[in-house]
PDB file of all heavy atoms in Angstrom:
ATOM      1  N   ALA A 258      15.015  38.509  10.131  1.00 96.00           N
ATOM      2  CA  ALA A 258      15.715  38.693  11.410  1.00 96.00           C
ATOM      3  C   ALA A 258      15.608  37.437  12.260  1.00 96.00           C
ATOM      4  O   ALA A 258      16.566  37.031  12.927  1.00 96.00           O
ATOM      5  CB  ALA A 258      15.136  39.898  12.150  1.00 96.00           C
ATOM      6  N   GLN A 259      14.450  36.807  12.238  1.00 94.00           N
ATOM      7  CA  GLN A 259      14.274  35.584  13.027  1.00 94.00           C
ATOM      8  C   GLN A 259      15.247  34.501  12.543  1.00 94.00           C
ATOM      9  O   GLN A 259      15.872  33.803  13.343  1.00 94.00           O
ATOM     10  CB  GLN A 259      12.827  35.088  12.910  1.00 94.00           C
ATOM     11  CG  GLN A 259      12.570  33.749  13.581  1.00 94.00           C
ATOM     12  CD  GLN A 259      12.790  33.795  15.092  1.00 94.00           C
ATOM     13  OE1 GLN A 259      12.479  34.794  15.729  1.00 94.00           O
ATOM     14  NE2 GLN A 259      13.350  32.739  15.657  1.00 94.00           N
ATOM     15  N   ILE A 260      15.389  34.384  11.223  1.00 94.00           N
ATOM     16  CA  ILE A 260      16.275  33.349  10.693  1.00 94.00           C
ATOM     17  C   ILE A 260      17.719  33.609  11.110  1.00 94.00           C
ATOM     18  O   ILE A 260      18.405  32.699  11.580  1.00 94.00           O
ATOM     19  CB  ILE A 260      16.158  33.262   9.146  1.00 94.00           C
ATOM     20  CG1 ILE A 260      14.779  32.725   8.762  1.00 94.00           C
ATOM     21  CG2 ILE A 260      17.254  32.375   8.559  1.00 94.00           C
ATOM     22  CD1 ILE A 260      14.439  32.866   7.297  1.00 94.00           C
ATOM     23  N   CYS A 261      18.176  34.867  10.985  1.00 94.00           N
ATOM     24  CA  CYS A 261      19.603  35.065  11.269  1.00 94.00           C
ATOM     25  C   CYS A 261      19.909  35.368  12.730  1.00 94.00           C
ATOM     26  O   CYS A 261      21.015  35.118  13.178  1.00 94.00           O
ATOM     27  CB  CYS A 261      20.248  36.048  10.305  1.00 94.00           C
ATOM     28  SG  CYS A 261      19.813  37.727  10.556  1.00 94.00           S
ATOM     29  N   GLN A 262      18.925  35.851  13.480  1.00 93.00           N
ATOM     30  CA  GLN A 262      19.214  36.183  14.885  1.00 93.00           C
ATOM     31  C   GLN A 262      18.535  35.245  15.872  1.00 93.00           C
ATOM     32  O   GLN A 262      18.771  35.333  17.075  1.00 93.00           O
ATOM     33  CB  GLN A 262      18.771  37.620  15.191  1.00 93.00           C
ATOM     34  CG  GLN A 262      19.623  38.658  14.488  1.00 93.00           C
ATOM     35  CD  GLN A 262      18.854  39.942  14.207  1.00 93.00           C
ATOM     36  OE1 GLN A 262      17.886  40.250  14.887  1.00 93.00           O
ATOM     37  NE2 GLN A 262      19.274  40.672  13.197  1.00 93.00           N
ATOM     38  N   GLY A 263      17.668  34.377  15.384  1.00 90.00           N
ATOM     39  CA  GLY A 263      16.897  33.522  16.289  1.00 90.00           C
ATOM     40  C   GLY A 263      17.720  32.394  16.900  1.00 90.00           C
ATOM     41  O   GLY A 263      17.264  31.703  17.802  1.00 90.00           O
ATOM     42  N   GLY A 264      18.938  32.185  16.377  1.00 89.00           N
ATOM     43  CA  GLY A 264      19.822  31.208  16.987  1.00 89.00           C
ATOM     44  C   GLY A 264      19.644  29.787  16.477  1.00 89.00           C
ATOM     45  O   GLY A 264      20.361  28.882  16.910  1.00 89.00           O
ATOM     46  N   ASP A 265      18.699  29.567  15.566  1.00 91.00           N
ATOM     47  CA  ASP A 265      18.466  28.192  15.113  1.00 91.00           C
ATOM     48  C   ASP A 265      17.958  28.191  13.662  1.00 91.00           C
ATOM     49  O   ASP A 265      16.874  27.691  13.381  1.00 91.00           O
ATOM     50  CB  ASP A 265      17.440  27.523  16.045  1.00 91.00           C
ATOM     51  CG  ASP A 265      17.355  26.005  15.838  1.00 91.00           C
ATOM     52  OD1 ASP A 265      18.278  25.429  15.209  1.00 91.00           O
ATOM     53  OD2 ASP A 265      16.357  25.411  16.279  1.00 91.00           O
ATOM     54  N   PRO A 266      18.783  28.722  12.724  1.00 93.00           N
ATOM     55  CA  PRO A 266      18.269  28.880  11.358  1.00 93.00           C
ATOM     56  C   PRO A 266      17.893  27.558  10.700  1.00 93.00           C
ATOM     57  O   PRO A 266      17.000  27.525   9.857  1.00 93.00           O
ATOM     58  CB  PRO A 266      19.431  29.551  10.618  1.00 93.00           C
ATOM     59  CG  PRO A 266      20.643  29.285  11.444  1.00 93.00           C
ATOM     60  CD  PRO A 266      20.172  29.188  12.855  1.00 93.00           C
ATOM     61  N   PHE A 267      18.583  26.485  11.083  1.00 92.00           N
ATOM     62  CA  PHE A 267      18.293  25.201  10.448  1.00 92.00           C
ATOM     63  C   PHE A 267      17.470  24.291  11.366  1.00 92.00           C
ATOM     64  O   PHE A 267      17.442  23.067  11.202  1.00 92.00           O
ATOM     65  CB  PHE A 267      19.589  24.516   9.989  1.00 92.00           C
ATOM     66  CG  PHE A 267      20.321  25.295   8.908  1.00 92.00           C
ATOM     67  CD1 PHE A 267      21.673  25.099   8.682  1.00 92.00           C
ATOM     68  CD2 PHE A 267      19.656  26.221   8.117  1.00 92.00           C
ATOM     69  CE1 PHE A 267      22.355  25.816   7.687  1.00 92.00           C
ATOM     70  CE2 PHE A 267      20.315  26.948   7.131  1.00 92.00           C
ATOM     71  CZ  PHE A 267      21.669  26.743   6.921  1.00 92.00           C
ATOM     72  N   GLU A 268      16.776  24.902  12.312  1.00 87.00           N
ATOM     73  CA  GLU A 268      15.754  24.239  13.122  1.00 87.00           C
ATOM     74  C   GLU A 268      16.205  22.933  13.762  1.00 87.00           C
ATOM     75  O   GLU A 268      15.561  21.900  13.624  1.00 87.00           O
ATOM     76  CB  GLU A 268      14.487  24.011  12.264  1.00 87.00           C
ATOM     77  CG  GLU A 268      13.904  25.337  11.793  1.00 87.00           C
ATOM     78  CD  GLU A 268      12.630  25.200  10.969  1.00 87.00           C
ATOM     79  OE1 GLU A 268      12.217  24.053  10.688  1.00 87.00           O
ATOM     80  OE2 GLU A 268      12.069  26.235  10.597  1.00 87.00           O
ATOM     81  N   GLY A 269      17.333  23.001  14.456  1.00 86.00           N
ATOM     82  CA  GLY A 269      17.810  21.820  15.174  1.00 86.00           C
ATOM     83  C   GLY A 269      17.027  21.564  16.454  1.00 86.00           C
ATOM     84  O   GLY A 269      16.868  20.427  16.877  1.00 86.00           O
TER      85      GLY A 269
END
Side-chain angles (χ1 to χ4, degrees):
Q259 174 63 37
I260 292 168
C261 73
Q262 291 152 25
D265 192 16
F267 296 159
E268 298 181 356

